[in-house]
Amino acid sequence: MSVLAPSRLRGLTPGGSSRSPVRLATRLSLVLVAAMAGAAIAATSAVHASPAGPSRSCEVSTAQTYTVAAGESWFQIAQRVGVPAAELLQANDATVDSTIYPGDVLCLPAGANAPAAGSRGSSCGSAGAGSYTVVKDDSWFGIANDVGARMASLLDANHATAETGLQPGDVLCLPAGATVTAAAGMPKSVKIEVLPLQGPCGFGDTWRDARGNGRRHEGVDLIAAAGKYVYAVVDGVLTRRAWDQPGRLAGNGWWLTSADGSGTYFFYAHLYAFAPGLKVGSHVKAGQIIGFVGTTGSSSTSHLHFEIHPNGGDPINPYSTIKSMGGCNNGTAYRQPDGWVPDTAGVDVG
């Protein structure tokens, strides 16, 4: 605060000015207020110019802190330090809508285990079955279904509730017995050009249902009359064929690899027979007949077992892909590459 010089004060004294004492006092008050305001602004600037630190003091002087890294969320941090997200938020007077930035220092609640410096990996316990990285449109129920675990077990493994939000990139701990069947970042659906089966047909979501010998169902079963046409769902190449033999679960089957270069392939099983003229290496068009519905292999009713393997990896649940397109082709049979339009009767298997 600046100090007024004596020469300037003379004009403010009763003997040196015609101004009244009231006016003098008012002027001095205004000068003091302005000076104090300037000092406050300077102090505020000094605070904002100080090095970054915790936005608030942790309630206990011995409490641990955590420095936010790029891309981290409240839930991800809570999972890494082993506490419920609600407790972490409470310790920082925050809500799920509070934004955090790289470099922010958070207070950790009692019982938290701060990771070692430089460690940013998942802190899943050794008793679990590994981790899962959340992708777009994931949900607790969907993830539990994908990994073959009870939703309650998945929530417990992550100190979470059904209301805990998920963000792409969050790393979840999987409970014992869970199995990751789709790689992190793998799409949840794959676009197909036509439906795989001549209708009418029936189907349901039986993804990951239990099968014999501890197996899980990794496709969708399209129930249809024996002999109905089975179609290539995309342009591609028939890269592998399975023949019906004793002990072969799939019976007659085709592997169709997409022509788009992604490595995505589709598996067809339990065929009655293969379409004439096709072999491994044959190029086929979307809608081309590649076989006929049957009951070969481990099957007690005529149906097509259909799988989708994005990018050549583990299978994903094909139910949503099939359902979004209607399940099976109930209209005019697809025109064949040579121009033939087959009837809708299929093959008589007697």
Side-chain angles (χ1 to χ4, degrees):
M1 181 176 69
S2 61
V3 179
L4 295 177
S7 60
R8 296 184 61 190
L9 285 172
R10 290 194 194 101
L12 300 176
T13 62
S17 171
S18 60
R19 295 186 178 93
S20 69
V22 174
R23 290 181 177 178
L24 174 61
T26 300
R27 177 166 180 145
L28 284 172
S29 297
L30 292 174
V31 170
L32 288 171
V33 169
M36 292 174 65
I41 292 172
T44 301
S45 299
V47 169
H48 284 287
S50 64
S55 58
R56 61 185 293 272
S57 298
C58 298
E59 293 181 0
V60 182
S61 60
T62 57
Q64 299 182 91
T65 60
Y66 184 97
T67 302
V68 179
E72 290 188 312
S73 66
W74 286 107
F75 172 76
Q76 195 170 21
I77 294 170
Q79 185 266 325
R80 284 175 177 165
V81 301
V83 297
E87 292 185 10
L88 179 64
L89 291 168
Q90 183 178 8
N92 291 276
D93 294 333
T95 69
V96 290
D97 298 318
S98 299
T99 303
I100 51 177
Y101 298 96
D104 285 350
V105 179
L106 307 182
C107 297
L108 297 183
N113 297 309
S119 174
R120 291 290 170 183
S122 171
S123 59
C124 298
S126 58
S131 61
Y132 177 95
T133 302
V134 177
V135 298
K136 186 177 182 293
D137 298 328
D138 263 340
S139 67
W140 288 107
F141 176 79
I143 295 170
N145 190 47
D146 285 349
V147 301
R150 294 175 58 247
M151 181 172 162
S153 299
L154 180 65
L155 292 170
D156 287 346
N158 291 278
H159 306 284
T161 70
E163 287 73 38
T164 303
L166 292 172
Q167 298 293 329
D170 286 348
V171 179
L172 306 184
C173 296
L174 298 182
T179 303
V180 178
T181 58
M186 194 67 73
K188 294 299 181 184
S189 63
V190 169
K191 179 178 174 56
I192 58 177
E193 300 300 323
V194 302
L195 287 160
L197 182 67
Q198 175 192 8
C201 71
F203 64 101
D205 187 357
T206 56
W207 174 252
R208 301 292 293 162
D209 279 2
R211 293 292 188 264
N213 299 322
R215 296 179 296 111
R216 296 279 182 173
H217 195 230
E218 296 186 339
V220 62
D221 287 336
L222 300 160
I223 311 300
K228 291 292 185 179
Y229 299 126
V230 172
Y231 303 113
V233 292
V234 296
D235 292 353
V237 179
L238 297 172
T239 49
R240 184 180 170 191
R241 171 158 48 183
W243 295 92
D244 185 27
Q245 298 176 14
R248 186 178 292 276
L249 299 177
N252 292 325
W254 276 126
W255 282 259
L256 167 65
T257 300
S258 174
D260 64 7
S262 66
T264 297
Y265 70 88
F266 308 88
F267 176 54
Y268 303 75
H270 307 306
L271 303 178
Y272 163 71
F274 305 105
L278 297 179
K279 60 183 180 180
V280 173
S282 292
H283 291 259
V284 294
K285 293 289 186 180
Q288 183 172 342
I289 297 170
I290 61 174
F292 309 93
V293 175
T295 56
T296 57
S298 179
S299 172
S300 59
T301 187
S302 60
H303 74 285
L304 172 68
H305 172 89
F306 180 74
E307 295 181 12
I308 299 177
H309 293 253
N311 305 326
D314 291 329
I316 63 171
N317 188 349
Y319 176 75
S320 60
T321 298
I322 299 299
K323 184 178 181 181
S324 67
M325 295 186 65
C328 53
N329 178 27
N330 288 314
T332 303
Y334 297 120
R335 183 180 297 272
Q336 298 303 290
D338 60 2
W340 170 57
V341 179
D343 60 31
T344 57
V347 174
D348 182 7
V349 295

